[in-house]
C-alpha cells in the first residue's frame, strides 16, 4: 500500500504533536503493509506557512528517526496545499508537488468553494500540474451536488477520498457521498489523511471493507496501483474502465436485488 495523504510530520500542523507519535504511526503503517507514504502537512497561507524549507527540515528529522528505529518504509515529501484566491500569484507551487511528480495534493474551503475555484484548477492544469483534490466527499458543494466531481474530473482534476469517510468517521452525509463517488467510478485514490490522534490506522480497514464487497483489484487500484504511479510520475487515467465496469456490474446487481423486492 502507498498512502498519499498523511499528517505525520511532527509538530508542523494539526497532525502529529511530536516525534514519538509520528514513529508510533509509522510502525502501525509498516505493520499493516504500507511500503511508501507521503508526508502532506497543511500549507495554508497565514495559518500553516509551511515553506519547502520547513517541510524539508521536518522530513529529515522524521526519516532520521525512522532509520534509527530500523523501519523498512519509504517516505516521500509532499504538502496539502489550501487553494485560496490569489494563491497562484503569491506562491511558486512547483515546490509543493508530491515527491518528484507533477501531482499536487490540494484542498479548499469545506463550507463553500471559492467563487473562482474552477479558474484556479484551470490555471494549475495549464501550468502542467496534476491536481488531486483531497477528500471531495467532505465539501458541502459536492455533498449537495455530486455531479460537480464529474465536472472536475473532466477538467483534469483527480479525486482522493479519505478511508475514514467510507466508515462514517465524518458523519452519514460524508459517508453517503464517498460511497456514491465510489459507485460512480469518480475516485482515483483512497488515503488515510491520518492526523495521528488515535491509535488506529484506518486505511487497511477501509480497504478490507471494499475487498469484502468488490473484487480485490478494485480497492488496490486506489490504495496501491494509482498511488505508486505518483512515485514514478506516470499518467493515471481520469476514467478507469475497470472501475466503471465494477460500478456498472454492482449497479446491475443491486438493481436485480431491488427488483426482487418490488
Ligand atoms: Fe489532510
Amino acid at each position: 500500500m502507498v498512502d498519499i495523504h498523511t499528517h505525520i510530520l511532527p509538530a508542523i500542523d494539526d497532525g502529529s504533536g511530536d516525534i514519538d507519535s509520528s514513529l508510533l504511526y509509522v510502525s502501525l503503517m509498516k505493520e499493516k503493509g504500507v511500503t511508501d507514504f507521503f508526508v502532506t502537512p497543511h500549507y495554508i497561507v497565514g495559518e500553516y506557512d509551511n515553506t519547502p524549507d520547513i517541510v524539508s527540515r521536518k522530513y529529515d528529522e522524521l526519516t532520521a528517526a525512522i532509520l534509527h528505529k530500523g523501519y523498512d518504509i519509504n517516505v516521500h515529501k509532499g504538502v496539502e496545499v489550501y487553494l485560496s484566491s490569489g494563491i497562484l500569484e503569491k506562491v511558486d507551487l512547483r515546490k509543493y508537488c508530491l515527491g518528484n511528480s507533477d501531482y499536487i495534493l490540494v484542498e479548499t474551503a469545506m463550507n463553500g468553494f471559492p467563487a473562482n475555484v474552477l479558474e484556479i484548477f484551470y490555471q494549475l492544469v495549464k501550468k502542467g500540474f496534476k491536481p488531486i483534490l483531497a477528500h471531495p466527499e467532505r465539501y458541502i458543494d459536492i455533498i449537495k451536488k455530486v455531479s460537480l466531481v464529474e465536472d472536475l474530473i473532466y477538467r483534469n482534476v483527480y479525486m482522493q477520498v479519505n478511508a475514514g469517510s467510507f466508515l462514517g468517521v465524518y458523519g452519514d452525509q460524508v459517508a453517503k457521498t464517498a460511497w456514491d463517488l465510489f459507485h460512480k467510478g469518480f475516485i482515483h485514490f483512497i488515503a488515510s489523511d491520518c492526523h495521528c490522534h488515535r491509535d488506529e490506522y484506518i486505511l487497511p480497514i477501509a480497504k478490507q471493507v471494499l475487498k469484502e464487497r468488490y473484487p480485490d483489484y478494485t480497492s488496490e487500484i486506489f490504495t496501491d496501483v494509482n498511488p505508486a504511479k505518483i512515485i514514478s510520475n506516470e499518467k493515471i487515467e481520469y476514467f478507469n474502465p475497470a472501475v466503471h465496469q465494477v460500478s456498472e456490474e454492482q449497479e446491475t446487481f443491486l438493481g436485480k436485488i431491488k427488483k426482487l423486492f418490488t
Side-chain angles (χ1 to χ4, degrees):
M1 265 184 298
V2 179
D3 194 344
I4 68 161
H5 186 168
T6 71
H7 296 268
I8 287 183
L9 282 189
I12 188 170
D13 63 2
D14 56 346
S16 169
D18 53 41
I19 192 72
D20 290 337
S21 308
S22 305
L23 287 172
L24 173 69
Y25 247 79
V26 173
S27 70
L28 282 173
M29 293 166 90
K30 176 72 199 145
E31 200 180 292
K32 301 292 181 185
V34 172
T35 59
D36 295 72
F37 71 94
F38 286 84
V39 290
T40 55
H42 291 289
Y43 175 69
I44 305 177
V45 177
E47 189 175 346
Y48 294 117
D49 288 305
N50 288 317
T51 61
D53 282 351
I54 294 172
V55 175
S56 283
R57 257 201 324 274
K58 290 286 182 178
Y59 170 87
D60 290 346
E61 182 188 346
L62 179 64
T63 50
I66 289 173
L67 194 67
H68 184 71
K69 283 277 186 185
Y71 297 145
D72 181 19
I73 193 164
N74 301 310
V75 190
H76 306 268
K77 238 183 282 181
V79 172
E80 179 180 17
V81 178
Y82 187 94
L83 296 182
S84 50
S85 298
I87 190 161
L88 295 177
E89 292 77 44
K90 284 183 220 153
V91 186
D92 176 10
L93 290 179
R94 185 49 64 181
K95 294 172 183 166
Y96 293 82
C97 287
L98 294 173
N100 297 315
S101 77
D102 300 316
Y103 291 94
I104 185 164
L105 184 68
V106 298
E107 63 175 336
T108 188
M110 298 274 186
N111 53 1
F113 282 162
N116 63 340
V117 73
L118 294 180
E119 174 64 17
I120 298 173
F121 278 121
Y122 173 74
Q123 291 298 337
L124 275 173
V125 172
K126 197 175 159 197
K127 286 172 190 281
F129 291 103
K130 294 183 179 130
I132 301 170
L133 180 61
H135 38 67
E137 73 282 5
R138 298 187 63 197
Y139 300 98
I140 191 72
D141 298 71
I142 291 173
I143 289 170
K144 283 183 181 166
K145 194 180 170 194
V146 170
S147 63
L148 189 53
V149 168
E150 186 175 21
D151 187 17
L152 286 169
I153 297 173
Y154 273 115
R155 292 166 191 260
N156 296 1
V157 181
Y158 293 97
M159 297 294 149
Q160 175 263 301
V161 170
N162 281 5
S165 296
F166 292 108
L167 309 173
V169 169
Y170 308 95
D172 292 345
Q173 277 191 318
V174 172
K176 183 181 171 299
T177 308
W179 283 107
D180 203 8
L181 293 175
F182 178 84
H183 290 134
K184 287 183 159 67
F186 295 163
I187 296 182
H188 304 94
F189 310 96
I190 299 172
S192 70
D193 192 10
C194 62
H195 281 67
C196 309
H197 297 157
R198 51 166 85 189
D199 296 339
E200 187 179 46
Y201 181 55
I202 213 160
L203 183 57
I205 301 172
K207 187 175 179 180
Q208 188 55 36
V209 168
L210 291 172
K211 275 188 164 191
E212 282 164 12
R213 303 186 191 183
Y214 303 93
D216 280 2
Y217 68 84
T218 312
S219 57
E220 279 165 9
I221 287 172
F222 307 127
T223 56
D224 299 63
V225 179
N226 284 349
K229 287 182 180 174
I230 295 178
I231 298 169
S232 51
N233 199 23
E234 286 173 67
K235 189 173 184 303
I236 294 164
E237 294 302 321
Y238 291 101
F239 292 97
N240 187 325
V243 173
H244 278 289
Q245 194 184 338
V246 168
S247 307
E248 280 162 17
E249 279 170 11
Q250 186 64 18
E251 277 167 16
T252 308
F253 174 73
L254 284 175
K256 282 179 188 164
I257 297 285
K258 273 182 193 163
K259 272 182 197 159
L260 285 175
F261 291 95
T262 53

